[in-house]
Amino acid sequence: MTKLRLAIVGAGPAGIYAADILLKAERKFDVSIDLFDHLPAPYGLVRYGVAPDHPRIKGIINALRDVLDRGDIRIFGNVRFGTDITLADLKKHYNAVIFATGAIKDAELDIPGIDAEGSFGAADFVSWYDGHPDFPREWPLDAASVAVLGNGNVALDVARVLAKHADDLLSTEIPANVYDGLKASPITDVHVFGRRGPAQVKFTPLELRELGELRDVDMVVYDEDFDYDEASKAAIASNKQVMVIDRVLQSWRQRPSVNNAGGEASRRLHLHFYARPVEVKTDAEGRTAAIVYERTRPDGSGGVEGTGELREIEVGQVYRAIGYFGSPLPDVPFDKRHGVIPNHEGQVLHKDSNERVPGVYATGWIKRGPVGLIGHTKSDAMETVRHLINDQGSWWTPEDPSEDAIVSLLAERQVAWTDLDGWHRLDEHEIALGAPTERARIKVVDRDEMVRVSRGE
Ligand code: NAP
């Protein structure tokens, strides 16, 4: 029977779903899959993107772990595509590759001052609080008042983690340095800015409602943002999600903290709508000092137009949460404008000619862009895998498809790769670190230590 030797690059949900779907699919050939990741641990954005106080979403890891624990997928962690293994290596040892490398960078926001000291990408902050090994251990939480730009779920995650008292995060898996950093934070006010109105937000009702439940944090909304136009009214009437969001916001309008008056909590989380960020102002030393925004108004069709009225709020830090962005991979086509690998339903295309690149596939956020919930990645993987199966005639013909070949190659290059047993060791080690304080786990953050524990060294 023909055998498909498949490499998947990226061991997040996109890569693991693709492997699982292929292994379960009806097909006329055997399959053997090697899953590579540049990190020593699997699960990608579930481990390093989902907020630590969202255990329900983190729970997706259990389903992903069940797939890996079946033992029919080999894992090679701590292996960097482009240096430790290249596309030429994959062509030598596999019939095809699926790239599932996701998107971890922040989209750019082209406004004056955005590169000032104290202005950050939200994705970087998320990587810090989720203990990503490639990010600095220290985060300068030194501002009393901060701005979060954007109205998606990442903006709410960042605003919530910033506003929450560190002790309310202690039961989660946050690393010790993150707890210490948040505990020392002098924050009192978090201002979230959406350039459109409450009926056009991208965040979801559950995540919004959660903000109202934070201990010792007042939600502040402003009456001027609720003078809805016809398009907003129609959206609220016709879309259940928008309706619930409106209901939650309206309930906060009944609280004493509306329009910034009368709340008693030591911290406040302000939601500003119809507020388009236009400049980050700096002090004489070049540090973030204020956010300037233009008041917008509905344009009648769900969009907004500027009113020309500029407003300013003093803030010591700015976090832009306006979307993630994919990163290019060596020797793989890349669409710089959209931050994705150009593809047709997961079949990778040459950038200029739009012709297919045989043997090369993409799935997840690097395929369709950084939108949608983790579950959406499954249907994405199905589409990619369907093409991979049907394309049998155009797979690569590898020189040495033996399973040992890649192991020898990595050993020859002195790559300290981690495998499934290694992940189990790290997993158990993290759980044991949490046990004395009755926490589910404490994450190991240092890459070398992750590798050492995984490899039992
Ligand atoms: P997102 O949902 O696409 O939201 C991006 C936000 O940034 C939008 O409000 C957008 O406004 C705004 N924006 C974009 N460009 C802007 C600009 N130039 N100026 C001002 N605002 C700008 O992206 P995300 O928050 O990064 O989330 C990515 C995906 O992950 C989403 O599907 C999200 O639901 C998911 N996620 C889910 C959870 C969860 O379930 N708890 C947590 C985190 C992330 P416009 O709408 O006006 O463009």
Side-chain angles (χ1 to χ4, degrees):
M1 201 179 197
T2 321
K3 186 162 188 172
L4 167 66
R5 287 273 298 129
L6 176 69
I8 298 180
V9 180
I16 296 177
Y17 286 144
D20 188 37
I21 286 165
L22 176 61
L23 284 164
K24 289 178 178 160
E26 208 173 295
R27 52 190 154 74
K28 297 196 176 70
F29 48 82
D30 277 343
V31 176
S32 98
I33 301 176
D34 290 346
L35 186 57
F36 296 91
D37 204 292
H38 68 122
L39 289 168
Y43 310 135
L45 218 58
V46 191
R47 184 172 157 98
Y48 291 115
V50 172
D53 57 345
H54 276 175
R56 191 180 51 82
I57 311 179
K58 285 267 187 215
I60 293 174
I61 282 183
N62 297 334
L64 299 176
R65 183 174 39 218
D66 287 347
V67 174
L68 297 184
D69 283 355
R70 239 170 27 212
D72 49 6
I73 303 164
R74 287 198 305 183
I75 308 184
F76 294 90
N78 202 35
V79 177
R80 282 183 195 278
F81 176 79
T83 48
D84 297 332
I85 45 158
T86 63
L87 190 65
D89 297 327
L90 297 184
K91 280 189 182 165
K92 222 186 233 176
H93 301 297
Y94 297 89
N95 299 99
V97 57
I98 298 179
F99 289 102
T101 48
I104 192 171
K105 280 198 327 202
D106 286 285
E108 299 292 332
L109 178 61
D110 188 16
I111 59 172
I114 197 71
D115 294 325
E117 190 184 327
S119 169
F120 305 102
D124 290 348
F125 182 59
V126 170
S127 292
W128 173 75
Y129 69 57
D130 259 339
H132 193 297
D134 295 344
F135 285 77
R137 290 300 95 80
E138 304 301 319
W139 194 274
L141 288 163
D142 52 10
S145 176
V146 307
V148 178
L149 313 181
N151 262 180
N153 279 326
V154 172
L156 294 200
D157 277 351
V158 165
R160 188 182 67 254
V161 170
L162 284 167
K164 215 165 174 168
H165 288 277
D167 286 333
D168 296 337
L169 282 165
L170 195 54
S171 62
T172 74
E173 61 180 39
I174 51 164
N177 63 302
V178 175
Y179 172 74
D180 292 344
L182 291 168
K183 181 82 181 160
S185 166
I187 205 149
T188 58
D189 290 84
V190 178
H191 296 269
V192 179
F193 295 89
R195 62 181 170 182
R196 297 193 284 158
Q200 291 87 33
V201 295
K202 294 268 172 67
F203 50 68
T204 36
L206 206 62
E207 280 62 29
L208 179 68
R209 197 181 286 132
E210 194 183 349
L211 298 181
E213 291 156 9
L214 301 183
R215 181 178 65 85
D216 191 32
V217 178
D218 275 335
M219 291 307 300
V220 185
V221 290
Y222 295 85
D223 278 334
E224 62 176 359
D225 291 337
F226 295 91
D227 188 11
Y228 290 137
D229 68 327
E230 291 308 316
S232 296
K233 285 181 195 159
I236 292 166
S238 63
N239 182 320
K240 180 129 189 285
Q241 189 152 311
V242 183
M243 193 185 297
V244 178
I245 283 171
D246 176 59
R247 202 179 301 148
V248 173
L249 292 170
Q250 297 295 349
S251 75
W252 292 341
R253 289 182 75 192
Q254 312 307 319
R255 294 189 183 180
S257 50
V258 70
N259 296 331
N260 219 3
E264 287 174 358
S266 71
R267 295 179 175 183
R268 285 157 297 281
L269 206 162
H270 310 246
L271 299 180
H272 304 269
F273 299 99
Y274 300 110
R276 172 164 49 213
V278 293
E279 185 184 353
V280 177
K281 274 201 176 164
T282 53
D283 62 14
E285 276 84 42
R287 289 183 306 231
T288 297
I291 182 82
V292 183
Y293 63 96
E294 181 184 14
R295 181 86 184 149
T296 61
R297 64 178 160 235
D299 65 2
S301 56
V304 287
E305 56 195 16
T307 62
E309 181 195 341
L310 295 183
R311 297 182 184 177
E312 191 174 314
I313 294 182
E314 271 184 38
V315 291
Q317 291 189 335
V318 170
Y319 294 82
R320 64 177 195 284
I322 61 159
Y324 280 90
F325 205 78
S327 305
L329 294 157
D331 304 322
V332 181
F334 190 66
D335 174 347
K336 277 193 203 139
R337 220 174 121 229
H338 301 102
V340 297
I341 297 176
N343 70 90
H344 168 71
E345 297 180 350
Q347 297 170 307
V348 171
L349 305 175
H350 284 287
K351 194 160 58 70
D352 303 318
S353 63
N354 262 358
E355 301 224 342
R356 280 211 41 218
V357 182
V360 185
Y361 297 83
T363 192
W365 275 7
I366 198 65
K367 166 186 174 185
R368 74 187 141 93
V371 283
L373 304 178
I374 296 165
H376 297 154
T377 302
K378 249 186 211 171
S379 44
D380 218 21
M382 276 180 201
E383 186 183 65
T384 297
V385 166
R386 182 168 46 83
H387 280 298
L388 170 67
I389 292 175
N390 292 338
D391 291 347
Q392 188 172 351
S394 63
W395 294 346
W396 301 326
T397 311
E399 212 173 275
D400 181 358
S402 71
E403 293 188 359
D404 292 342
I406 201 74
V407 176
S408 307
L409 181 81
L410 293 175
E412 211 172 278
R413 292 188 183 158
Q414 299 186 326
V415 178
W417 79 90
T418 57
D419 59 12
L420 183 61
D421 288 343
W423 165 240
H424 286 149
R425 270 192 289 274
L426 180 61
D427 195 32
E428 282 160 19
H429 178 77
E430 290 185 339
I431 292 168
L433 287 179
T437 45
E438 291 179 14
R439 296 171 62 187
R441 81 171 58 230
I442 296 179
K443 265 186 191 166
V444 175
V445 183
D446 183 72
R447 180 184 277 266
D448 291 342
E449 194 185 339
M450 290 175 79
V451 173
R452 230 176 11 249
V453 173
S454 291
R455 290 172 65 91
E457 288 167 355

